[in-house]
Amino acid sequence: MQITIDNPAAAPQPFGPYSQVARVEHADGGVLLYVSGQCAEGDDMATQTRGVFEALEQLLTAHGAGLDDIINIRTFLTDMDGFADYAAVRKEFLTGTPPTSTTVAVTRLVPPRALVEVEVVAAVTAPAQ
């Protein structure tokens, strides 16, 4: 097993001193990607959620994966009244079978104006031989 910690240059850079992707390569060629929580700019839940999923897509693409490879998603919302807006935008980006999921309410996030933060785990299967 090989582990690579990364901040892809083609994706938005982190707000703080942390890495955004941990890539775990297994001996059979399969890969797990652990993506740190992403926040985005915007005045409302829908705008921020759209920015979050765009950032997640860029981070996954940098590692040869896509949104369809997400197997687990954890969402942190500062106001559960925005859940419907979050869920509607999420459905635009995650169009297949929904991944396992947890959503929790938090009092605040690191960026002061952030309403939503999302972290994911993606699985990329080994290429057929």
Side-chain angles (χ1 to χ4, degrees):
M1 175 172 33
Q2 180 177 347
I3 300 172
T4 305
I5 305 297
D6 188 28
N7 283 318
Q13 294 303 295
F15 289 109
Y18 61 89
S19 296
Q20 296 192 103
V21 180
R23 179 184 179 95
V24 180
E25 297 181 51
H26 296 272
D28 68 359
V31 175
L32 286 176
L33 300 171
Y34 295 85
V35 182
S36 294
Q38 300 298 303
C39 296
E41 301 284 328
D43 293 329
D44 58 40
M45 182 66 73
T47 303
Q48 287 190 20
T49 301
R50 189 163 278 103
V52 164
F53 278 95
E54 288 168 354
L56 288 168
E57 189 168 37
Q58 290 175 332
L59 290 163
L60 292 170
T61 297
H63 283 271
L67 295 174
D68 289 344
D69 296 311
I70 294 173
I71 60 170
N72 181 263
I73 186 168
R74 285 172 298 284
T75 304
F76 306 91
L77 302 177
T78 60
D79 183 356
M80 280 298 189
D81 290 341
F83 180 77
D85 291 335
Y86 161 76
V89 173
R90 175 180 151 158
K91 279 185 176 183
E92 292 174 23
F93 286 88
L94 302 180
T95 58
T97 303
T100 62
S101 179
T102 301
T103 302
V104 296
V106 296
T107 56
R108 67 183 212 185
L109 296 163
V110 172
R113 297 187 67 227
L115 303 172
V116 58
E117 182 170 345
V118 178
E119 63 182 39
V120 301
V121 177
V124 183
T125 57
Q129 306 236 345

